[in-house]
Amino acid sequence: MWHEGDDAYKLRLSQAIELLGQPDMFVPDLEAWLDGLAVTLQAIFETVTSQSTFPILYKFVLELLDAGLALSLLKLPQVVKERTAVICDQAFGIIHFFIGSIEDTEQLREVCSKIIHAQGLQALLETIQNGTPWTKFVSIRCLKRILSCVSISDTLTSSQISAVLRTCYTCFRNAYPHVLDEWREPSSLLRQDLKKKFGDANNASPDALKTQLQQWLSEKQEMALDACLAIFHIRTKPINRKLALEIVQENPAILTDLLELMCEPRPPWHPTRATDSLASRMILQLMALPPEVIPGFDQPLGCFDDADRAEWNAALTCIKILHSLPTALASIIRMRTKVIEEDVVALDREVLHQNKPGFETPTEVFTGRGDLVVTSLRLLINMTYLDLTPGYLLALLPLAYRACERYPISEKPWLPVTTKQFITFTKEMEGRHHIMEFHKPSEHHPTVASSIFVASGAILGPMLLFRVLVKLSNVGYQLQALQQLKTLPRGIPIIEGLETHLAHIHQIVSPKIMGKLIRMTVERRIPRQREFSKTQLFISDEPYINPGRAGSAAAYISAAELAISHAAYGLELNKSGDTRILRENRTYFTLAKKEGVLCIGNAAEAAGRLGLWPLAKRFARVAVEICDTVLAKDAKDIEWDIESSRGKNERRLKFAVAQLG
């Protein structure tokens, strides 16, 4: 048994590790050695636990890692040619023991760092890429455990992160024949795992066996994406735009991989699969606009220094790389039409068919559909910050208009009874759906902080529409020109699910429709988002503990972004001389500015309540600057006390400055 300062044990350990994994090592000896090490570790752990001498266990684990044990264990699947799955299970079980036996966060971070940085990450990725289906699964499980427990992702370089993403996205591509081959081995661990889940498949029909193997494969692909998400979630700080750009530039193919995963049809053998939803959340992480600034129209509000501008430019460069992919627009449209065309009643039936009686379809199945809808809209909105051709913009106009559809909204929670009610219920759930992405320093850390907020389709639809209309006006297609358009210009993308008809464009830009959209946005959509943000802020008295509270400032900013887009359209109408709609709706454009000031000011208040004083200062300053652009006559027309709004935000600004010292 090991004890502290036992030099003889260290020597024996070093000699054993030198022999570990040699190509000519006798496999039964290797299995016995790994079993003996596992028993020794467990005995030490039980002794330490009973005596509460945890520092001794920590020192022992460090000595094992410093001797090179972790790297040797991680390389075993590539070296051993017999009983590889069993050896991999044993070896990675010891890695799991190292991680699970340490409770102190800082000590655990050091242990994980030693495991993953001594070429350990490279060894894991090689197995994930080239191993058998079972060793891939065990390696992904190990990688997920390391990335999830503490913020080890903070120490990874952009090339390492890019390698992890690319490997995990593609590791199970076209893997079914290999899964079938491994299942055919009578004693394979994969076969045992399937037996636990589905029962003995020896007497199953070929179709039933294929379904089971495909479901197993689909679940493991989902696990691989979940491991990748830990890179974005378990961090002391969110990934900034500069790092996101470096990750994408290292290997732009990861964007193509994500688009393909988001567009994959839902497989009947795994109707609850969430790979498309997980992929959508990761592409949002890479394509997000900087959370520290407020998206304006062409230029962001709140870019006060070179660091802010560098972050904004990095975000735009990421979006340009996505936009430059030949399949980008088609993929974004396909992921949206996939949701629209899916039969939710049939989906519910498929889920229930594959589970035990009494099982209910998880809400995550429908919120996952919502992920795809809002992700597609957010990506298209982000693309409008680039210079787009008239044909491209005209192709987006009908889609943006359809995205402004009314979603059923109930005042009280309810459960569907009839099929018609079920369809309405799911549509309401998806229509209300928004995405909040968080980060925290460790798996069990009680506090979280918001990193990304994506509003619901009720906000993103009008936002995309107004942004497209302003961009069209900037390239010579003002509202009157669109109303009088005789032929469509060249360069309109021909994409399935994205149809552009002249009559439809005329209908969208008619005074009746435009007036309705202008009024609806200010009267209903923005105030509802503002009220939602307010409820999130007051969920809990403890900042960060409740995820909704942590995202309240970002939720306010999403409403402000819509208000700014709406007001920008009013300014464009004034500049282009489209006086009829401007005259009939002038007060609504001023109301949009008022809503923008309210939302940004409330975001400053929320940031202050969360102790985020740099953000509070930034938002309050932007709110004051917007107040300075409002004419006294326009404010008077809507009975807006502009001086009161300016004063309130100046006080917020002054208080934030004082808190920052």
Side-chain angles (χ1 to χ4, degrees), residues 52-63:
S52 298
T53 53
F54 290 100
I56 294 177
L57 178 63
Y58 171 60
K59 290 179 180 178
F60 177 61
V61 169
L62 286 185
E63 287 196 6

Side-chain angles (χ1 to χ4, degrees), residues 648-661:
K648 181 183 290 187
N649 285 293
E650 284 176 343
R651 289 191 293 275
R652 286 170 174 154
L653 176 59
K654 185 177 179 180
F655 188 72
V657 170
Q659 292 297 315
L660 291 169

Side-chain angles (χ1 to χ4, degrees), residues 295 378 458-467 520-522 524-527 529 556-568 592 595-596:
R378 185 69 254 184
I459 295 296
L460 298 180
M463 191 189 301
L464 177 60
L465 179 71
F466 289 123
R467 289 195 60 82
M520 171 199 70
T521 300
V522 176
R524 293 198 294 274
R525 300 291 177 91
I526 300 174
Q529 180 69 9
Y556 275 123
I557 293 302
S558 69
E561 188 180 0
L562 173 55
I564 291 166
S565 300
H566 185 285
E595 285 289 347

